[in-house]
Amino acid sequence: MEFTTIAKAKKETKLSYLGGINTSSKIAKNMKVNVMTYCLYLSPAYTSGYDVCEYSTVECRLGCLATSGRAKIDIRSNHNIISKARIAKTKLFFEQRDFFFGWLIAEIEMYKRKAERLGYVFNVRLNGISDIDWQNEIAFFGLNIFETFSDIQFYDYTKNHNKFNNKPLNYDLTYSYHGRNWDICLELLNKGVNIAMVFNVKKETELPLTYKGYTVVNGDLNDNRVADAKGLIVGLKWKRIENKANEERVLKSVFVVNPTDEGFNK
Ligand code: SF4
C-alpha cells in the first residue's frame, strides 16, 4: 500500500481516521485550557496479535482503559466498531509502516494547521492506549516522529522507564505506577519526573493531597500533562471498565492504590 492522500487512505482501509482530536472525553478537556490534542488509539497489549505494550502487567491489561468510555458503549452494543478499528490501525503500523506514517504525518499536519487557525496550542499524544517507543521508529526519511516535527510538543504516559534515557526535548513523559515499580517511581520522582497513579476513589470523592510525601495533583481535570509542575504524582481516579469481574480483580490488586494503603494522606 502506498499513501497518497487522507481521502484515499480512508477509502482503501475503510477506516474513518487514524488519530484525531476530541476522540475521548479526557482529551477533549484539553480544549478548555486552550490546547488541541491529536491522539492516536491503537489496540493495547497484544490484542491485535502484536504487542504494543512491552511493559504491561497482568493487572493493567485487565484494567486497561481500552474498554472504558466510548469503547464501553461500543462493546455493549455488540458492534465492537471501535475495537476492530483499533486492531486494523495497529496492523497497519506493523504491516504497512510507510503507509501508516504517511497517513499519520498528513493528519498531524492537518490538525496542526487547524489548531493554528483557531488559536489553540497544539500537541500530540501517540500512545492513547499503547506504549510504543516512538523514538525507535523511523517515520520519514530516516527521522523519527519527534525529529520530523521538531516544532510540535508530544506527550505520553509510559511504563517503560528506558524511554527517559535520551528523551527528545519535545517529548513530555509521565511514568506510570503499576504496583510493583515504586523503586523506579522514587528514582524518577527525585529526578523531577511525574508519576501517574490510579487511586480507588469515587468520582465525587477527592483524591489524596499527598501520597508517601509527594504532592498529588488531579490528572482527571484534563490531559494536558505537559503543563504539570514536575516531581509529583498525577492522580487518576479509577474508571469503570466493561468487564465487572475484571474490575473487581483489578480493584483488589496492587495496580490501584486504595485509601487504606500506607502513605495515602487525605
Ligand atoms: S500498558 Fe497501558 S495501554 Fe498497555 S495494557 Fe497496560 S494500561 Fe493498557
Side-chain angles (χ1 to χ4, degrees):
M1 287 163 88
E2 193 184 342
F3 178 81
T4 49
T5 65
I6 291 177
K8 281 188 186 157
K10 286 196 220 179
K11 204 170 166 191
E12 218 169 322
T13 59
K14 298 189 173 50
L15 291 166
S16 310
Y17 53 84
L18 201 54
I21 53 168
N22 297 337
T23 43
S24 77
S25 56
K26 175 91 178 285
I27 296 283
K29 286 179 187 169
N30 285 359
M31 302 288 264
K32 290 184 186 162
V33 289
N34 204 45
V35 175
M36 185 183 281
T37 300
Y38 171 89
C39 188
L40 174 70
Y41 288 92
L42 297 178
S43 194
Y46 29 80
T47 47
S48 68
Y50 295 103
D51 191 5
V52 294
C53 301
E54 196 188 341
Y55 287 76
S56 70
T57 63
V58 65
E59 295 89 2
C60 88
R61 289 192 295 273
L62 283 177
C64 188
L65 292 178
T67 66
S68 75
R70 291 176 195 177
K72 188 164 75 178
I73 299 162
D74 184 49
I75 293 166
R76 276 189 193 159
S77 71
N78 272 330
H79 291 134
N80 285 331
I81 294 168
I82 295 176
S83 312
K84 283 178 191 162
R86 288 173 179 172
I87 288 172
K89 290 169 192 180
T90 311
K91 286 187 173 170
L92 273 184
F93 170 69
F94 283 97
E95 295 168 11
Q96 302 287 340
R97 194 64 61 101
D98 289 348
F99 180 88
F100 175 92
F101 273 113
W103 194 356
L104 182 75
I105 288 168
E107 280 189 347
I108 292 176
E109 282 171 342
M110 179 176 80
Y111 285 115
K112 179 175 183 273
R113 283 195 301 273
K114 182 171 182 170
E116 281 166 359
R117 203 170 60 243
L118 298 175
Y120 287 96
V121 172
F122 181 66
N123 63 24
V124 174
R125 177 176 166 190
L126 293 181
N127 283 323
I129 37 168
S130 55
D131 201 358
I132 290 171
D133 191 347
W134 298 97
Q135 295 173 77
N136 294 333
E137 304 298 336
I138 298 302
F140 188 66
F141 284 104
L143 303 178
N144 66 32
I145 200 75
F146 309 111
E147 294 162 335
T148 305
F149 290 110
S150 57
D151 59 336
I152 291 180
Q153 177 69 56
F154 291 78
Y155 75 97
D156 270 321
Y157 301 77
T158 185
K159 289 187 178 63
N160 179 357
H161 55 282
N162 296 317
K163 285 190 194 174
F164 291 88
N165 305 328
N166 302 320
K167 186 176 67 61
L169 286 175
N170 59 334
Y171 193 26
D172 181 274
L173 275 176
T174 300
Y175 184 67
S176 299
Y177 175 74
H178 61 57
R180 295 190 193 86
N181 56 349
W182 180 244
D183 286 356
I184 300 174
C185 291
L186 266 183
E187 201 181 302
L188 291 172
L189 273 166
N190 294 333
K191 287 181 183 166
V193 171
N194 287 352
I195 307 300
M197 195 173 270
V198 181
F199 289 91
N200 185 11
V201 293
K202 294 202 166 66
K203 206 175 171 186
E204 59 282 2
T205 310
E206 291 298 320
L207 284 159
L209 297 173
T210 63
Y211 183 75
K212 298 202 184 209
Y214 290 90
T215 302
V216 177
V217 294
N218 187 344
D220 286 325
L221 295 178
N222 57 60
D223 197 53
N224 191 27
R225 297 284 67 85
V226 181
D228 291 332
K230 300 300 173 197
L232 44 77
I233 292 173
V234 177
L236 305 165
K237 294 181 188 178
W238 169 256
K239 315 284 179 315
R240 319 246 15 212
I241 54 172
E242 180 54 19
N243 186 318
K244 293 298 145 221
N246 284 353
E247 176 161 284
E248 214 171 294
R249 283 173 67 193
V250 181
L251 283 174
K252 283 183 191 152
S253 79
V254 291
F255 179 57
V256 181
V257 178
N258 277 292
T260 48
D261 288 357
E262 195 189 334
F264 194 107
N265 182 13
K266 278 196 192 173

